[in-house]
């Protein structure tokens, strides 16, 4: 979630609020220590500053996150992208990389993306 928010070089308030809301309310984060958010954010920023930062990021995700949660991670990343109402080029590229690196089925990805767009529409 942090990586997709930072992927367009601007972390928006709506994206941060969305991340905070998910961490506070989704069952997958029930045992997560919210004090770690800053530490994890800094680690992600450091990774992305490296020349091979995305490779390091994906290797870290693949080794620390159970594969059964890869689609959950993709869904949360899509919600962060949709949070401000505009999917920017850097965000879309990162989502594309994420689909590939986490082996997210294209049909499932399309359904997840449509759900994120629907949840974040405004009148």
């Amino acid at each position: 979630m942090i990586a997709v928010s930072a992927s367009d070089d601007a972390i928006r308030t709506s994206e941060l609020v969305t991340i905070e809301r998910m961490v506070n309310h989704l069952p997958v984060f029930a045992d997560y220590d919210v004090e770690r958010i800053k530490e994890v954010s800094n680690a992600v920023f450091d990774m992305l500053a490296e020349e091979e930062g995305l490779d390091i990021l994906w290797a870290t995700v693949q080794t620390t996150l159970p594969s059964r949660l890869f689609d959950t991670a993709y869904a949360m990343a899509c919600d962060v992208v949709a949070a401000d109402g505009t999917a920017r080029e850097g965000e879309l590229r990162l989502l594309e990389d994420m689909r590939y690196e986490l082996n997210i089925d294209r049909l499932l990805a399309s359904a997840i993306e449509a759900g994120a767009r629907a949840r974040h529409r405004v009148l």
Side-chain angles (χ1 to χ4, degrees), residues 96-114:
E96 182 180 2
D97 286 349
M98 190 175 195
R99 284 191 305 268
Y100 175 78
E101 294 294 337
L102 301 184
N103 198 28
I104 305 292
D105 177 76
R106 186 63 201 133
L107 196 56
L108 175 59
S110 292
I112 290 169
E113 293 159 8

Side-chain angles (χ1 to χ4, degrees), residues 1-12 15-16 19 80-81 91 94:
M1 293 184 294
I2 299 295
V4 77
S5 180
S7 65
D8 62 351
D9 297 323
I11 300 175
R12 288 165 180 74
E15 294 169 342
L16 291 175
I19 291 168
V80 171
V81 169
E91 295 168 330
L94 193 104

Side-chain angles (χ1 to χ4, degrees), residues 15-84:
E15 294 169 342
L16 291 175
V17 169
T18 297
I19 291 168
E20 181 180 14
R21 188 185 75 243
M22 285 189 279
V23 169
N24 287 332
H25 298 288
L26 291 179
V28 74
F29 291 109
D31 296 326
Y32 186 77
D33 178 8
V34 294
E35 299 299 319
R36 291 193 59 226
I37 291 176
K38 185 171 178 85
E39 174 187 329
V40 170
S41 298
N42 288 332
V44 170
F45 298 145
D46 290 345
M47 280 183 219
L48 295 177
E50 297 285 327
E51 186 173 329
E52 301 296 322
L54 283 178
D55 293 334
I56 297 167
L57 174 69
W58 298 131
T60 302
V61 170
Q62 291 166 346
T63 58
T64 59
L65 187 66
S67 60
R68 66 184 177 79
L69 295 177
F70 285 178
D71 58 348
T72 303
Y74 186 74
M76 290 186 291
C78 287
D79 276 345
V80 171
V81 169
D84 65 358

